[in-house]
Amino acid sequence: SSRVLWTLAVTQFEDVDRVDFDVEKLEFDSKSDGFIIFTNQDGEEVKVPAQVVGEKAVWLHEGMEVMAEFYEEKVITVTLPDTAEAKVVETSGSAGTSQAKPTYKPAILENGVKTTIPQYIEANEMVIVSTIDGSYLSRAT
């Protein structure tokens, strides 16, 4: 029966035209009036509606490079790097002593994202976090 389903699926898609997307590296510049402004490799400004980037826009910082997919000269998706540096602006607790298993405390990053960080990280330190889920990965060097 799986063979029949496969044949049916192939038959259904025989008449579908293939769609090609252009992929281009862009550099983040700024946010303005519902748009996110990038610069392409030719130095041209590319305005992208904020909803295309969505909630991940909180991770954008000046100079960050992203990958954008274009369809008919319009950006349809923007992919950020998996990690970003961010400054810890608020945290509770004091620096802990070195333990075999670190304990974590709540923190707020400069972009407003709430995360947890090891006890030894203090406010004003730079950390590396996941842009996927906001989790702490390491101290920035």
Side-chain angles (χ1 to χ4, degrees):
S1 67
S2 63
R3 177 177 244 185
V4 172
L5 290 175
W6 183 82
T7 303
L8 180 62
V10 170
T11 303
Q12 288 178 342
F13 291 107
E14 284 180 0
D15 296 332
V16 175
D17 290 332
R18 182 186 165 128
V19 176
D20 289 323
F21 300 101
D22 294 320
V23 178
E24 190 175 332
K25 188 182 291 188
L26 301 177
E27 185 176 301
F28 172 72
D29 285 328
S30 62
K31 299 175 190 175
S32 174
D33 298 325
F35 287 92
I36 299 175
I37 314 299
F38 295 93
T39 304
N40 67 16
Q41 293 181 327
D42 295 329
E44 298 167 340
E45 183 178 275
V46 178
K47 285 179 106 172
V48 178
Q51 64 266 25
V52 171
V53 180
E55 294 177 4
K56 294 197 182 280
V58 299
W59 299 110
L60 292 170
H61 59 80
E62 189 175 336
M64 176 183 265
E65 291 185 342
V66 301
M67 296 304 293
E69 281 187 319
F70 288 78
Y71 176 67
E72 294 183 352
E73 299 185 23
K74 290 184 181 176
V75 176
I76 57 168
T77 62
V78 173
T79 305
L80 276 65
D82 291 340
T83 62
E85 280 192 19
K87 186 181 202 178
V88 175
V89 293
E90 186 178 319
T91 187
S92 59
S94 59
T97 57
S98 203
Q99 300 175 353
K101 187 174 181 183
T103 56
Y104 289 79
K105 60 186 178 181
I108 300 174
L109 305 176
E110 63 189 329
N111 58 6
V113 172
K114 294 178 181 178
T115 190
T116 56
I117 58 174
Q119 288 288 335
Y120 58 85
I121 302 288
E122 293 297 320
N124 297 317
E125 285 193 62
M126 296 295 290
V127 294
I128 297 174
V129 292
S130 166
T131 59
I132 297 165
D133 61 10
S135 61
Y136 169 86
L137 299 173
S138 67
R139 181 182 262 161
T141 53

